[in-house]
Amino acid sequence: MKPLNELSREGAGGYRLPKLEVPPQPQLPQSYLRAELKLPQLTEHDVIREFMGRSHANTSVDGSPLFPLGSCTMIYTPIAARKAPELFAQLHPLQPAQTAQGALKLMHDLERILSEMGGAAAGSLQPAAGAHSELTAMFMIAAYHKSKGEDKQRRVVLIPDSAHGTNPASAAMAGYAVETVPSDKRGRLDYARLEEVLREKGESVAAFMITQPSTYGIYDEKINDITALLHRHGAQVFCDGANFAALTNRVKFGDLGVDVFHFNLHKTFGVPHGGGGPGAGFVGAAEHLVPFLPVPRVEERNGRFELSHDHPQSIGTLSSAYGNFLADVMAYAYIQLLGSEGFREASGVAVLTGNYMHRMLSEVLPPAFPGLVMHEGIVLDTPLRKLSLKVMDLVKGIIDLGYYAPTVSFPLGNGILTEPTHSASRGAIDGFAQDVAEIVKHAEQDPLWLAASPHNTPARRFEEAKANRNPVFIWRWH
Ligand SMILES: *Cc1c(COP(=O)(O)O)cnc(C)c1O
C-alpha cells in the first residue's frame, strides 16, 4: 500500500457539501482552531482503496478458512441475516412506541423465542454483551435476596476455576466477594469441595455462577445435583450460556434448575463479532426472578406493543436504547433462517466438529482432559515447551497461514481452546489440523523459525500489554 501522503494531490477531494439550509453558525473560538491542518488530499477512490487494503490486511469472517476461537463461537453469518438490520435503519430509539410497532413486536417475539429455548419464564434483550448480562443477573439476584431480607447476610458468589474472567468481574462489580471452586482431574466441578464450602458458609452464599458446558468443553453431568444443592442452601444459580451452541434445541437451562442465565446473540445466534462488538445479550429468568428484570419491558396489550416501566421491583435500566437493537434484528433473522430443527442439527454438528477437531489436534498435542468433549476442546503445548516455545508462538504460526487465531492461555495457561462451530466444513478442519501438525514438525527442526513468526503478516509481534495500557488512537500525517 502506498502511504497516503504520497497519494495526496493538491485539490483532490471526494465530497461536496450541500448548500446551507439553516443560518450559518458562528465559528468555533480561535483557541480551538489549528492554524494548519495537514490532511492528505485524496479522491474518494483513493480513500476506499486505502480502507479496503487495510481490511484485507486483517483476517476476516469472509476471508479466513476457519474461525476456531474457542468459547467465542464464531459462526458464519448468512448474508440474509446481515442485510436484515437495514430494514430498521431509519428507526430512532426515542420515537413514540405507536410508530415503532414492528420493532417492538420483533423484540417481544425474540424475547419469547429465547425464553423458550433456554427454559425461562421471561427475559430481557437489554444487556449489550455477555459480561453485561452477567452483571444484570447479579443485580437481579441481589434484588431477590433483598426482597427476602437476606441481602446483608448473602455476600459471596461461588465460581468454578474454569469460568470466563468476566464471571468474577461481574460478581465483584455487583459488590460480591468471589470465591473459587476448583475442578477435578476430569475437568468437572469438584462436587465434594462445593459441598464442603456450602456446609461451612452456605448461608453467606448469594449465588453460584456455572458455565454449561464449561469452557473446558465439558458437560457437567452432575448439574441437576449442583443446582439442587445450592437451592437447599438458599443460593441462586446463574448459568453462563456463552457455550449454548453445544445445546440448542437439546437442553434447556430451566430444566437443569438454573434460576437465571444469559445467551450471547453474537455467539450462538449468528451475530458477527470480533474486534470488540457490537454484541447483544439476553437474560432469561425463572418465574421468581421475573419481577427483577430490567425496565422498560416490551409488553403486548390489546394487540399493541409498548415499553412498560410499571415493574416496581425491577433493577432499573441498563442500556439507553433497550440494548443493541440492530444486532437483535440479525439474531431474529438468523433464528428464522435456521428454524427449530436447524438449531437441533446445529448443536449436533457443533459437537461433532468439536470432537473431530479435538481428536485431530490430539494426534500432535496432548489433550488437557481424557475422553469426549462437547463443542470445543483444549490441547496442551507440552511438545513445544521442550523446545523453549510456548502456546503463543504456535498461534503466531497459525495466524501466519491466514487463520483467525484460536483461544490461547484460557482457561488453561498452557492450552489452546479450539471451537470449529457448526459452520466449519470437514475440509477446513482437516486443513487446519494438518497445518498445525506441520507447524509443530517445522518447529521441532527449527525452533527459531516459529519463535520469529508471523513472517507473512503486515505487522509482526505487538507489545500487547503496552498496546492495552497506552493505546494511540489518533492518526497523524507527518
Ligand atoms: C464470551 C464469553 C463471555 C463474555 O461475553 P462478552 O459478550 O464478550 O461480554 C462470558 N462467558 C463465556 C464463557 C464466554 O465465552
Side-chain angles (χ1 to χ4, degrees):
M1 259 183 287
K2 236 178 169 181
L4 286 181
N5 51 354
E6 283 179 28
L7 289 173
S8 181
R9 274 184 296 112
E10 187 68 30
Y15 68 93
R16 194 168 297 144
L17 293 177
K19 254 175 72 186
L20 263 188
E21 289 173 352
V22 292
Q25 297 300 301
Q27 282 222 336
L28 286 173
Q30 204 58 39
S31 57
Y32 291 148
L33 298 178
R34 277 171 283 183
E36 198 191 7
L37 201 56
K38 278 177 65 180
L39 291 176
Q41 301 186 39
L42 303 164
T43 63
E44 178 177 312
H45 191 192
D46 287 335
V47 175
I48 291 286
R49 284 184 45 223
E50 166 73 15
F51 282 100
M52 285 302 286
R54 283 182 188 273
S55 75
H56 288 305
N58 224 326
T59 47
S60 69
V61 70
D62 299 316
S64 180
L66 198 67
F67 259 70
L69 190 66
S71 198
C72 288
T73 312
M74 305 293 267
I75 288 173
Y76 173 79
T77 313
I79 299 288
R82 286 190 230 183
K83 299 287 275 183
E86 289 172 15
L87 297 168
F88 292 88
Q90 304 296 325
L91 269 183
H92 191 281
L94 297 183
Q95 75 187 63
Q98 65 267 29
T99 66
Q101 286 293 302
L104 293 176
K105 176 169 167 40
L106 187 145
M107 288 166 76
H108 189 264
D109 287 358
L110 185 57
E111 284 181 359
R112 195 180 41 75
I113 294 168
L114 295 172
S115 296
E116 170 69 20
M117 287 182 82
S124 170
L125 289 163
Q126 218 178 92
H132 200 196
S133 311
E134 295 164 23
L135 183 67
T136 305
M138 287 300 108
F139 285 153
M140 288 168 63
I141 288 174
Y144 168 77
H145 287 309
K146 192 164 183 198
S147 75
K148 301 183 70 181
E150 294 183 9
D151 53 316
K152 297 271 182 317
Q153 126 203 6
R154 297 193 180 272
R155 299 305 320 149
V156 178
V157 170
L158 302 177
I159 303 178
D161 60 358
S162 57
H164 196 264
T166 49
N167 287 190
S170 300
M173 274 188 82
Y176 285 114
V178 172
E179 196 159 317
T180 306
V181 185
S183 304
D184 65 19
K185 284 196 187 62
R186 292 163 59 240
R188 271 85 173 157
L189 183 80
D190 186 339
Y191 186 75
R193 180 70 197 129
L194 178 66
E195 275 182 317
E196 217 174 293
V197 173
L198 287 169
R199 253 198 317 274
E200 261 169 49
K201 54 171 91 164
E203 66 287 357
S204 69
V205 175
F208 182 61
M209 298 178 94
I210 192 168
T211 307
Q212 182 77 324
S214 73
T215 51
Y216 290 166
I218 290 171
Y219 188 91
D220 206 316
E221 301 89 347
K222 270 185 121 58
I223 178 78
N224 285 89
D225 298 335
I226 293 171
T227 54
L229 177 64
L230 281 137
H231 289 154
R232 276 203 296 285
H233 287 276
Q236 293 287 288
V237 179
F238 164 78
C239 185
D240 178 327
N243 290 338
F244 195 62
L247 307 179
T248 52
N249 206 355
R250 289 171 193 273
V251 173
K252 296 182 182 196
F253 290 141
D255 294 341
L256 307 179
V258 167
D259 301 294
V260 54
F261 64 85
H262 93 269
F263 289 149
N264 278 1
L265 304 193
H266 50 290
K267 292 182 183 172
T268 313
F269 296 94
V271 177
H273 62 127
F282 169 78
V283 170
E287 200 71 56
H288 63 286
L289 292 181
V290 168
F292 307 102
L293 281 167
V295 285
R297 292 192 37 208
V298 187
E299 284 167 8
E300 187 178 2
R301 211 153 290 160
N302 306 324
R304 306 292 293 169
F305 295 92
E306 57 185 47
L307 291 162
S308 167
H309 286 265
D310 191 15
H311 297 278
Q313 285 186 293
S314 164
I315 56 166
T317 300
L318 287 117
S319 288
S320 55
Y322 330 117
N324 279 332
F325 173 68
L326 295 183
D328 298 343
V329 175
M330 226 185 287
Y332 184 81
Y334 183 77
I335 288 170
Q336 299 302 334
L337 285 169
L338 249 68
S340 170
E341 271 312 301
F343 271 102
R344 188 173 169 80
E345 191 182 333
S347 54
V349 175
V351 172
L352 183 65
T353 58
N355 276 285
Y356 183 65
M357 175 123 110
H358 185 60
R359 186 61 70 85
M360 298 278 281
L361 294 176
S362 299
E363 308 257 320
V364 196
L365 301 166
F369 303 103
L372 290 172
V373 294
M374 292 293 286
H375 62 306
E376 59 187 359
I378 307 175
V379 290
L380 305 173
D381 66 358
T382 326
L384 294 166
R385 297 236 159 194
K386 294 190 192 117
L387 307 165
S388 299
L389 293 164
K390 286 199 293 280
V391 73
M392 189 56 89
D393 301 305
L394 177 61
V395 284
K396 296 297 182 194
I398 291 173
I399 291 172
D400 223 4
L401 299 181
Y403 294 103
Y404 195 91
T407 300
V408 286
S409 304
F410 166 79
L412 293 176
N414 55 342
I416 308 177
L417 176 66
T418 56
E419 175 185 3
T421 81
H422 72 85
S423 21
S425 69
R426 177 166 172 191
I429 299 176
D430 285 340
F432 179 76
Q434 246 162 33
D435 284 336
V436 171
E438 267 162 37
I439 292 170
V440 173
K441 207 156 87 196
H442 193 159
E444 277 162 354
Q445 284 148 13
D446 184 3
L448 291 180
W449 164 80
L450 189 57
S453 65
H455 302 276
N456 304 321
T457 53
R460 307 290 289 273
R461 295 210 184 192
F462 296 92
E463 286 186 55
E464 285 170 23
K466 190 171 169 196
N468 255 314
R469 307 243 154 82
N470 305 306
V472 180
F473 293 120
I474 300 168
W475 179 81
R476 278 182 209 286
W477 184 43
H478 298 293

